[in-house]
Amino acid sequence: MRLTLLISTIVAIALSQNVFAGNGLIQGKIERVAIIGNTAFGGQVEGNMEIKIKAGFTLPAGVQCNTNYITTKKIDDPNRSMLTMLLQAHESQKDVQLWITDDSTHTAFSGKCSLIGVILLPL
């Protein structure tokens, strides 16, 4: 009985590994930053932020999403501090490091990662 329970538990843990969200750092230049307006389109929600990375990016290990765009829920940047840093990076053409996730609780648009942190790099 205990062996069956142990084996069942191990199998359940092994099979559930692919449902855990992936997080990671990417680096690049911002091509465009947009805030979705009051007319949602294509499944986007008003107030969400979409970021286009110049020439796309390479996915960190364990992260699965589109490699050109990052879409972030407004609730994940309520005071718009990440937006401010992204706009500064775009204007100055500085590289940024972006902490991204494919965690469904942060996903603003299916198939796209979400931004959870920004680091503005020096020139």
Side-chain angles (χ1 to χ4, degrees), residues 8-86:
S8 297
T9 302
I10 291 170
V11 169
I13 290 171
L15 293 176
S16 69
Q17 293 303 306
N18 63 351
V19 299
F20 293 135
N23 301 318
L25 281 173
I26 61 169
Q27 185 170 327
K29 291 194 184 310
I30 304 300
E31 182 175 318
R32 184 173 60 245
V33 179
I35 300 297
I36 307 304
N38 61 2
T39 304
F41 65 95
Q44 293 281 17
V45 176
E46 177 184 350
N48 286 354
M49 173 174 44
E50 182 152 286
I51 305 146
K52 170 82 168 87
I53 306 300
K54 281 188 180 180
F57 56 91
T58 302
L59 287 173
V63 179
Q64 299 294 318
C65 61
N66 179 295
T67 57
N68 287 304
Y69 294 93
I70 299 165
T71 305
T72 303
K73 290 179 179 179
K74 180 180 180 180
I75 196 167
D76 286 337
D77 190 23
N79 62 1
R80 298 296 196 202
S81 59
M82 289 193 296
L83 172 63
T84 300
M85 292 179 75
L86 292 168

